[in-house]
Amino acid sequence: MTISKWIDQINWGTENRTVIAYHGTNVTRAHKILNEGKFWQSKKEWDWIGNGIYFWEYAPHRAWEWSRKKFPSDPAVLSVNVALGNCLDLTDTRFTSLLQLAYYDLKANEPNLPRNVAKNRALDCKVLNYVVEELRIQGVIVDTVRAPFIEGKPIYKGASFYNQSHIQLCVRNDAMIHMSTVIFSNGH
């Protein structure tokens, strides 16, 4: 199956769904985001689920943990509502099959693909961005990408549950973000 044939068969089904999401940052950036009403997209080649603005879905404490580690002197977390719109939802197998198609398409045309190494997920980023671009060429704009992220350590011996696992949300269309508020900061 090709990506264009896949597109013909898909019903996005998330156009009216909204989630609460949390963005870890520092206090200075949080105030700038609130004052300017704008987030900045990350476009690093190792961003796991492609270019966009990253959030923890329904996981304020995970966002706070990350923010405290990244910005120990002035962590902050913003809470937003995100309308998923056209969401490439990798918790749904109809979308994971698209990534598989894209990977094999890329591999056939580009034999030296990057590799995922530890937290550098350059291969996943390349495949995700490729899918989004191919969909755009076919007339489908991807507003958001969401995926389960297994992270941390098992919560007990033999567990399949990990202490930092969450749903990662990447917003590619910032018009989908509504109502930013600071929910955590170190006294700011």
Side-chain angles (χ1 to χ4, degrees), residues 31-188:
H31 287 298
K32 189 170 184 170
I33 291 167
L34 291 170
N35 290 335
E36 296 180 12
K38 177 185 176 189
F39 286 84
W40 291 269
Q41 288 200 7
S42 178
K43 295 187 179 191
K44 298 178 188 104
E45 66 181 22
W46 62 83
D47 283 335
W48 178 52
I49 49 178
N51 299 344
I53 306 157
Y54 278 72
F55 295 90
W56 283 269
E57 183 178 311
Y58 295 110
H61 296 285
R62 181 64 191 108
W64 179 241
E65 290 170 351
W66 180 90
S67 182
R68 282 189 6 220
K69 184 176 179 181
K70 180 87 173 166
F71 308 103
S73 64
D74 67 339
V77 173
L78 294 171
S79 172
V80 298
N81 290 337
V82 177
L84 295 180
N86 284 339
C87 180
L88 193 61
D89 188 345
L90 302 177
T91 67
D92 189 329
T93 56
R94 64 189 165 147
F95 294 107
T96 55
S97 64
L98 173 61
L99 285 186
Q100 187 176 40
L101 284 172
Y103 169 77
Y104 288 114
D105 191 30
L106 267 172
K107 189 173 172 130
N109 296 306
E110 201 173 317
N112 294 321
L113 290 173
R115 293 179 30 217
N116 290 338
V117 179
K119 291 189 176 193
N120 181 329
R121 295 172 182 89
L123 175 61
D124 293 341
C125 183
K126 182 147 185 104
V127 171
L128 236 307
N129 286 334
Y130 175 76
V131 164
V132 170
E133 179 59 18
E134 288 298 309
L135 290 170
R136 187 195 63 75
I137 290 168
Q138 299 291 327
V140 177
I141 302 302
V142 173
D143 296 309
T144 58
V145 179
R146 68 189 294 267
F149 191 68
I150 309 306
E151 183 179 30
K153 297 176 182 173
I155 60 173
Y156 51 85
K157 186 177 179 177
S160 295
F161 303 109
Y162 288 74
N163 66 339
Q164 295 178 327
S165 294
H166 57 277
I167 300 294
Q168 189 84 60
L169 181 63
C170 178
V171 177
R172 298 182 72 94
N173 174 359
D174 59 3
M176 308 310 282
I177 300 169
H178 307 285
M179 299 183 346
S180 292
T181 58
V182 176
I183 61 162
F184 295 118
S185 70
N186 278 347
H188 298 281

